[in-house]
Amino acid sequence: MRKNIVAGNWKMNTTLPEGVKLAEEVNNALKTVEPKCDVIICVPFTHLFPVNNVIDTKKLGLGAENCADHRSGAYTGEVSAPMVASTGAQYVILGHSERRQYYGETAETLKEKVRLALDNNLTPIFCIGEVLEQRENGTYFDVVKAQIEDALFNLSAEDFSKLILAYEPVWAIGTGKTATDDQAQEIHAFIRKTIEDKYGKEVAENTSILYGGSCKPGNAKALFAKPDVDGGLIGGAALDAESFMGIVTAF
Ligand code: 13P
């Protein structure tokens, strides 16, 4: 059966000392609760190795927020999947809408990143989601389907089964405007059906699909209660241990 997962995406926030402190706080909080979901924090590259040293990675998974689309070489400023894996990280967020929007990531580059992540035993947390105009003009089903098909449907069923998906409507990210639990359920069910049509029911049923976009302790319970919402990818609320734990314990 698929896993329930709550993952934090710290984005470009916290200095190294602040990040290590936040990771320690989450790690300590997890000593006193038995969460009904896997818990992951995805942190800036600079924080990966030091954070790995202060957390119990059996209880708190660690991920990067991106990796390069090449294995190694003359790509100044890039950080490769093997480098990420060598810090002890187990996950990597790929295709976040901010990377697509501000850094021009395309399905072609994302294909390479997914391949390299899998080759290095990193679990991709692959993000998809429409912008407001596409939500309003009703094309969001097509948009999300194309994002999945174009970057992921080259994978074998075995490799696809290693992914975590995150549906993040761009209009809900950092805006305080959450998709309603019914809106989330509608599109998550559609995403699962899209996977089923390609890879079959078993793969579809075993794929964790997270919701992201202004998920907070106050709305997490209703979202997670929906049958096709398997957890959350959390931005702002992951920057405070107490609010992040408030979402973790919504399961
Ligand atoms: P917020 O939770 O801040 O809306 O961000 C969501 C997100 O983009 C997680 O990847």
Side-chain angles (χ1 to χ4, degrees), residues 9 11 93 96-98 127 168 172-176 212-216 233-237:
N9 172 11
K11 307 192 179 183
I93 295 172
H96 193 280
S97 60
E98 289 150 15
C127 303
E168 301 205 307
I173 295 178
T175 57
S214 299
C215 187
K216 302 274 182 297
L233 183 56
I234 318 301

